[in-house]
Amino acid sequence: MTRGKFITLEGGEGVGKSTNLIFLREVFEQRKIPVTVAREPGGTQMAEQLRHLLLDTGKEAIGKKTELLLMFAARAQHIKHVIEPALAKGQWVLCDRFTDSTYAYQGGGRNMKTANIEWLERFVQGNLKPDLTILLDAPVETGMKRARKRIFTDRFESEQISFFERVREAYLVLAEANPDRIKVIRADRPLSDVQDAIIEALIPLFA
Ligand code: Z5A
């Protein structure tokens, strides 16, 4: 059985990850590629509970270390119960956010040490890395304007604009360091143009 491909969608809030995840699922279904769609944090019953804790604007402030560890705890569950079994069965896995989000938000946004994230990544993931990461990039203000249409605001969305500027910058640094895996696609243009660029980025995987 050929192992499936692991594709992740990354970017700041409102850049269009969820929208393009639905688009990609349709592309794979048309090509008769079996696909599992997932999101982080989340993806299993326990990981979704952790997501709720992480995004909830509850009374008890969540420390940076707690946040980082809960992200990886949710990821460990997700990998064990969903991602690895699907890839082993030959399914392609499409995931809305993965460890690049941790580098961007906890590393860039919260200024946590990269070395600690790298250690946790190795501990939790072993050799597992996405085959392709699509990084949707847009000015922070563009993403925020789009996301503002929503009624609810989660804990991350109540951060200052400077936090999201650091997140964006951290993503771009990651992309520069991993040019073979991470494809940066400008997301501040019409959706059809974004989707054409996504398809182009996928072509090497279809070959
Ligand atoms: N987080 C973390 O800190 N560390 C980690 O390791 C992980 C996550 C894994 C969960 O986010 C939070 O967890 C996240 C980081 C943190 N917090 N933040 N911010 P999430 O993924 O659930 O939430 P999100 O990033 O805020 O998602 P989002 O705001 O829903 O964004 P999106 O999925 O990228 O956008 P969308 O829903 O597809 O599109 C937003 C709107 O724009 C919608 O009305 C679309 O129709 C519209 N749209 C999309 N594309 C276009 C174009 N091209 N033109 C015009 N309009 C468009």
Side-chain angles (χ1 to χ4, degrees):
M1 171 83 63
T2 312
R3 193 175 156 84
K5 303 278 187 206
F6 183 25
I7 299 165
T8 57
L9 276 158
E10 293 281 1
E13 66 159 347
V15 291
K17 297 177 299 300
S18 316
T19 306
N20 288 301
L21 196 82
I22 296 166
F23 164 71
L24 275 177
R25 179 166 55 188
E26 284 163 9
V27 168
F28 290 136
E29 283 171 356
Q30 276 163 14
R31 287 179 170 252
K32 308 262 184 282
I33 294 173
V35 65
T36 291
V37 175
R39 69 168 180 185
E40 290 216 348
T44 75
Q45 200 183 358
M46 190 184 286
E48 288 292 330
Q49 286 172 342
L50 292 172
R51 177 187 176 91
H52 179 72
L53 288 175
L54 279 159
L55 300 191
D56 189 27
T57 47
K59 289 203 180 101
E60 182 177 335
I62 299 183
K64 292 200 287 191
K65 289 182 185 169
T66 312
E67 182 180 276
L68 176 65
L69 293 170
L70 288 180
M71 287 294 175
F72 272 105
R75 184 161 300 137
Q77 282 298 104
H78 195 202
I79 291 171
K80 180 177 167 60
H81 293 293
V82 177
I83 298 176
E84 272 299 349
L87 293 173
K89 272 192 289 188
Q91 298 202 333
W92 289 34
V93 175
L94 256 180
C95 195
D96 188 341
R97 297 192 180 280
F98 194 61
T99 307
D100 294 313
S101 285
T102 314
Y103 283 104
Y105 283 79
Q106 282 64 53
R110 304 257 190 253
N111 291 312
M112 297 198 78
K113 280 192 188 138
T114 305
N116 289 335
I117 302 175
E118 283 171 347
W119 186 88
L120 284 164
E121 181 182 28
R122 272 195 305 278
F123 179 60
V124 168
Q125 294 169 221
N127 292 327
L128 178 70
K129 290 228 183 202
D131 295 288
L132 173 70
T133 296
I134 290 164
L135 171 56
L136 297 172
D137 178 61
V140 171
E141 193 48 46
T142 306
M144 283 185 145
K145 233 185 254 161
R146 290 180 190 166
R148 248 179 243 138
K149 288 179 198 149
R150 279 188 305 242
I151 303 166
F152 299 107
T153 304
D154 68 34
R155 201 170 55 82
F156 286 93
E157 286 161 358
S158 18
E159 288 292 341
Q160 303 288 321
I161 196 153
S162 56
F163 173 87
F164 294 104
E165 294 289 4
R166 290 198 299 281
V167 167
R168 184 181 183 205
E169 178 58 27
Y171 268 130
L172 293 173
V173 168
L174 278 171
E176 215 172 292
N178 299 275
D180 292 340
R181 175 176 67 84
I182 304 179
K183 301 296 170 205
V184 184
I185 290 175
R186 265 193 45 214
D188 57 337
R189 50 187 172 153
L191 191 54
S192 60
D193 292 0
V194 174
Q195 294 180 337
D196 286 347
I198 291 178
I199 293 294
E200 209 177 305
L202 280 172
I203 287 171
L205 289 192
F206 289 144

